Amino acid sequence: MMSAAQFESLESILEKHIPPEELKEVRRRLFGKELKKLEFPSDAIEAAKERDFELQGYVLEAALEQLRKPFIVRVGLVQNKIVHPTDAPVIDQLIFLWLHHSDLLVQLHKITALHRRIGEIVEVASMCGVNIVCFQEAWTMPFAFCTREKAPWTEFAESAEEGHTTRFCQELAKKYNMVVVSPILERDDIHGGTLWNTAVVVSNSGNVLGKSRKNHIPRVGDFNESTYYMEGNTGHRVFQTQYGRIAVNICYGRHHPLNWFMYSMNGAEIIFNPSATVGELSEPMWPIEARNAAIANHCFTCAINRVGTEHFKNEFTSGDGKKAHSDFGYFYGSSYVAAPDGSCTPGLSRTQDGLLVAELDLNLNRQISDKWSFKMTGRYDMYAELLHKAVQPDFKPDIVKES
Amino acid sequence: MMSAAQFESLESILEKHIPPEELKEVRRRLFGKELKKLEFPSDAIEAAKERDFELQGYVLEAALEQLRKPFIVRVGLVQNKIVHPTDAPVIDQLIFLWLHHSDLLVQLHKITALHRRIGEIVEVASMCGVNIVCFQEAWTMPFAFCTREKAPWTEFAESAEEGHTTRFCQELAKKYNMVVVSPILERDDIHGGTLWNTAVVVSNSGNVLGKSRKNHIPRVGDFNESTYYMEGNTGHRVFQTQYGRIAVNICYGRHHPLNWFMYSMNGAEIIFNPSATVGELSEPMWPIEARNAAIANHCFTCAINRVGTEHFKNEFTSGDGKKAHSDFGYFYGSSYVAAPDGSCTPGLSRTQDGLLVAELDLNLNRQISDKWSFKMTGRYDMYAELLHKAVQPDFKPDIVKES
């Protein structure tokens, strides 16, 4: 039997074995309309090869309109392995010094091996014309919540507004004129030093636009996150950028249709879903949920997952009746972009670091909304009332019984 | 290029070309855990062959528990073509006389060619041990709403409680000890003779348990249904049967996550989604939406679609900028059952009449709910409030702008 890690991608297996005519129909059924591939400059392709990450690009087109011009945006989804083993001292991960000149002041920035890795991928994203880049959940650290241990993991937490990772992202944003979505472990020192699972949104101007916290916290198997931070209190805010209105639905929130819905009701045109999830648990759900959200809400969704297996020093249980063990399972990558018309890009590899570039025409959202009209036909006033009743302690489900 | 109708099924193409080892991984990724096939008696298999419909069966298992016994139910999903051309006079479709003896009274039932077709499929369902059978949307008639014409289509409408189709289903239910879900065009004579798109639920005792009306009415392309009937007023009732609590989410309601959600909050363990939908419009969404609903709501969902192309006498426009034409497009069948753990059965054929039998262990719902806890982590009190605000005329979306 193949190991989970060996299986490169669904799409590569289909392509290898199925003859072109039938492949076309399989793809239509599985992925919707046929997507054009993006052409990239040869130096970008070369750099991706040298830096050992996969580079893929697709175009998600809309129809031409008479009054509105196409609203073309390129998003970049980054998936990656951690660079150092999890038991490397936190301080040892700060291996790079980076000199930066700004406002006539020379600042000394500490950046980690992971920051360096992300930096070299974002440089290629820039060569590929990416306007908005999003990294995976808690990208600055191992996904260590399976351990239930606080030390040393909470040392990776930083201020969303002033941490060195946010400063690093501000540099990237300014340098490449790119909006950066940076999901980190946040420490909020002005509210008692609490931890949060937070995405920082940096404008292409380099200013911090704001932050968005994870709304739904898992209590599933190795995802012991509720012992580290609580449900987010930043609501479903949407960030107006030069490249469209974006929102960030972090990881486990993709299982909650109402969460996607509220981002969309606030006007999100693209909803990013930075995640960390493993094969045994969620892989068959992965291609379903973000894609369903794009369809149901007439918007684009971008699902991002990390790659590789992360081993930890002390064994732990996964709460599944099996023996204690020392790894989280296999993070299967497979990042993809889904469109409101039900089409989606192939996923990135299950095994390699990668950058997925998708060129979106945001006009598609309104075109599909006018065609399918899910918001118009949604009867939300009725559901507001029903939901209000359903949460009451004396709620009586409407069950018809034979008399 | 293959025509839409030639492509038999996604699953058959995968099986034909992909070597076993890789096929296993493709299936895991696409359909979740490997499902056992159901064994059927040879006379059932023979009868299905003779009567020219596909017969498939799968087992969707749950873990054994210490206190609860497995709750095993077999559902049957029926998909079929219409039997007569659409322009056959309505009266000509009443071609069969059926003598029935009950309570010492001989009644004369008129049954149509479609009733007869369904009767012979349900007989096989009974041989396969089916406990609950569900037919496709508006199964007693062509899906004629594309025509915008009222005559003669509204002549197919019947009383949900006392129409000849309901009587026919009551006979089936009693004869085979089977719950029957029968979606028809309803005429409600005690409320002004209005039309509704309605599913009648008949208990295995033969009594009418109740009816459930389509909650969301499409205004999409050829789906001109809003000129025939309004949004349902029966809420999200759930029917307690001997074989579990069931609900019926008719067709277009599958695009509305809140609709699925409310059936689930009322306690539905199995939600049927009898549909009529065509390839050009919805095929890439088809495997996504009902399956997402099963995952999001910790329940089973059963998606049913009709088969074939229905031609009409007068040309009509599809509202898509293309020339008027006389057919609705290709109804692609592909009925399937999805489980709360993200697994699903292969779809029935895209081209043939068929019966899909799935053996469900309803214990799986609570097992998956306890594992994934989407309801526990759903924050529904927050969403009740947010939804209430979102429908107000002065709703202000939460949009963060650069200052």
Side-chain angles (χ1 to χ4, degrees), chain A residues 203 205 216 238 252 372 400 402, chain B residues 203 205 238 252 372 377 400 402:
Chain A
S203 167
S205 67
H216 299 268
V238 164
Y252 185 70
W372 278 101
V400 179
E402 196 156 359
Chain B
S203 167
S205 67
V238 164
Y252 185 70
W372 278 101
T377 59
V400 179
E402 198 157 359

Side-chain angles (χ1 to χ4, degrees), chain A residues 385-396:
Chain A
E385 206 176 309
L386 290 172
L387 201 49
H388 177 72
K389 283 183 189 159
V391 296
Q392 300 308 315
D394 62 350
F395 171 57
K396 294 217 182 357

Side-chain angles (χ1 to χ4, degrees), chain A residues 319-371:
Chain A
D320 57 0
K322 294 182 187 152
K323 279 203 194 322
H325 53 114
S326 66
D327 74 272
F328 202 133
Y330 190 73
F331 294 103
Y332 52 80
S334 308
S335 304
Y336 68 97
V337 177
D341 62 359
S343 59
C344 69
T345 71
L348 284 177
S349 157
R350 297 177 70 260
T351 62
Q352 297 174 61
D353 289 8
L355 168 67
L356 173 62
V357 182
E359 182 177 293
L360 320 177
D361 184 345
L362 299 188
N363 282 358
L364 188 63
N365 292 341
R366 200 175 77 178
Q367 289 171 13
I368 296 297
S369 177
D370 285 355
K371 176 179 175 184

Side-chain angles (χ1 to χ4, degrees), chain B residues 16-34:
Chain B
K16 188 165 67 179
H17 296 293
I18 300 177
E21 204 187 14
E22 282 163 290
L23 183 61
K24 202 166 170 163
E25 286 300 297
V26 166
R27 275 188 171 150
R28 183 183 65 83
R29 163 74 194 249
L30 284 179
F31 310 121
K33 70 184 179 209
E34 194 83 20

Side-chain angles (χ1 to χ4, degrees), chain A residues 53 60 65 76 85 94 99 114 123 142 154 162 165 211 239 242 247 252 280 324 347 360 367 380 389 392:
Chain A
F53 66 86
L60 293 133
E65 300 181 16
L94 307 174
L99 284 163
L114 268 167
E123 187 177 50
T154 60
E162 295 169 347
T165 295
K211 64 185 172 190
F239 301 91
Q242 188 184 322
Y252 185 70
E280 282 287 303
L360 320 177
Q367 289 171 13
Y380 301 129
K389 283 183 189 159
Q392 300 308 315

